[in-house]
């Protein structure tokens, strides 16, 4: 069935270093890949997304890359700051049938000052 | 401009009881989806509604039901509550729920349900 695997489950980095979170999806019909940041007790917030017709997208310190052949996509955060500490979720969806997101299990990122 | 609003924010119930959770989508959004987020896991899809019609259902038992009203707000109902139903229930809205090129899901802050 549809599945998204996310690694690592926890990640600690020093402030200023880079962080990379990786996801693998199973449904080859997936064509939209959003990333959400969820702080404790708050709603998931969309931070960046990518469509299957694009290989890379960047927004300031955040970038996402997509490898459709391998069914991998990754989130890259550069120059990490303490306020980047949160749980990050990747998701995959397709524009046909029921519009639903299949989420990964999340990565808890801790940026150490 | 208000985002997705959910009520109540927290709820405590006992096993066997029934619960109703409510959601108002972003103004102009016609589709509402419900997700269940168990502690330490990613959100799991429960339902999608568009124009009062159910468009999709996830792998949840018949104890879970939902509906959408003419003003596009929505209710999620859970009957015969079990301990395992304890979770954060998230509502999300989107323009049409078709996954079109500019379609995005916007989440509410959720209802934290505890079943004792």
């Amino acid at each position: 069935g549809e599945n998204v695997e996310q690694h690592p489950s926890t990640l600690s980095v020093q402030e200023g270093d880079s962080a990379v979170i990786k996801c693998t999806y199973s449904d080859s019909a997936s064509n939209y890949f959003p990333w959400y940041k969820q702080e404790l007790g708050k709603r998931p917030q969309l931070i960046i997304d990518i469509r299957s017709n694009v290989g890379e997208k960047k927004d300031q310190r955040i970038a996402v890359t997509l490898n459709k052949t391998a069914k991998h996509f990754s989130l890259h955060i550069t120059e990490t700051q303490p306020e980047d500490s949160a749980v990050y979720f990747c998701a995959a969806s397709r524009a046909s049938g029921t519009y639903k997101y299949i989420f990964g299990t999340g990565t808890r990122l801790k940026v150490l000052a | 401009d208000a985002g997705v609003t959910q009520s109540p924010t927290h709820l405590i119930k006992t096993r066997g009881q029934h619960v109703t959770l409510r959601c108002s989508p972003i103004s102009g959004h016609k589709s509402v989806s419900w997700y269940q987020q168990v502690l330490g896991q990613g959100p799991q899809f429960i339902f999608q509604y568009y124009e009062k019609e159910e468009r999709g259902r996830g792998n949840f038992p018949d104890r879970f039901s939902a509906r959408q009203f003419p003003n596009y707000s929505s209710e999620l109902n859970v009957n015969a509550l079990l301990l395992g139903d304890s979770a954060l229930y998230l509502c999300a809205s989107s323009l049409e729920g078709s996954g079109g090129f500019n379609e995005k899901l916007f989440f509410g802050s959720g209802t934290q349900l505890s079943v004792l």
Side-chain angles (χ1 to χ4, degrees):
Chain A
E2 302 152 325
N3 185 47
V4 174
E5 293 187 1
Q6 183 172 347
H7 298 282
S9 56
T10 60
L11 179 60
S12 293
V13 299
Q14 289 294 131
E15 183 178 358
D17 286 351
S18 295
V20 180
I21 303 171
K22 298 182 180 181
C23 289
T24 303
Y25 60 98
S26 62
D27 183 1
S28 56
S30 297
N31 61 357
Y32 176 63
F33 308 91
W35 286 88
Y36 283 82
K37 174 183 180 182
Q38 189 175 28
E39 297 176 73
L40 191 62
K42 296 192 176 179
R43 72 185 72 197
Q45 292 209 306
L46 178 68
I47 56 171
I48 195 166
D49 55 9
I50 192 167
R51 298 203 172 268
S52 58
N53 58 347
V54 175
E56 185 174 356
K57 183 177 178 181
K58 190 173 181 181
D59 182 5
Q60 298 183 339
R61 297 185 297 109
I62 295 174
V64 58
T65 58
L66 171 65
N67 182 331
K68 280 192 298 182
T69 304
K71 292 192 274 187
H72 289 168
F73 58 113
S74 299
L75 177 71
H76 305 253
I77 306 174
T78 58
E79 300 171 20
T80 53
Q81 301 167 4
E83 51 265 37
D84 294 330
S85 296
V87 179
Y88 291 81
F89 291 98
C90 62
S93 76
R94 54 154 98 174
S96 62
T98 301
Y99 185 49
K100 64 180 179 182
Y101 287 3
I102 306 298
F103 280 90
T105 48
T107 296
R108 181 172 298 279
L109 174 64
K110 296 180 186 177
V111 180
L112 308 170
Chain B
D1 192 17
V4 178
T5 57
Q6 293 186 244
S7 63
T9 54
H10 295 83
L11 205 50
I12 298 175
K13 292 285 189 178
T14 56
R15 281 178 297 176
Q17 285 190 312
H18 162 269
V19 69
T20 297
L21 312 181
R22 295 177 175 84
C23 171
S24 292
I26 292 171
S27 177
H29 284 195
K30 299 178 181 178
S31 177
V32 168
S33 300
W34 289 93
Y35 286 77
Q36 180 196 64
Q37 186 177 22
V38 173
L39 191 63
Q41 296 183 20
Q44 298 263 322
F45 173 74
I46 311 175
F47 286 110
Q48 187 208 5
Y49 275 79
Y50 173 69
E51 292 283 11
K52 299 179 290 180
E53 299 282 330
E54 180 185 304
R55 267 207 180 158
R57 169 190 279 262
N59 189 22
F60 280 82
D62 292 344
R63 299 185 295 108
F64 288 76
S65 63
R67 55 180 176 167
Q68 186 178 32
F69 299 100
N71 66 354
Y72 303 112
S73 67
S74 178
E75 283 183 355
L76 175 70
N77 295 283
V78 187
N79 291 325
L81 285 167
L82 303 174
L83 296 179
D85 294 331
S86 296
L88 179 67
Y89 288 85
L90 293 163
C91 174
S93 78
S94 59
L95 275 169
E96 294 192 0
S98 61
F101 195 77
N102 291 315
E103 191 87 275
K104 298 180 194 295
L105 273 187
F106 296 90
F107 284 88
S109 297
T111 294
Q112 184 66 54
L113 173 65
S114 298
V115 182
L116 306 179

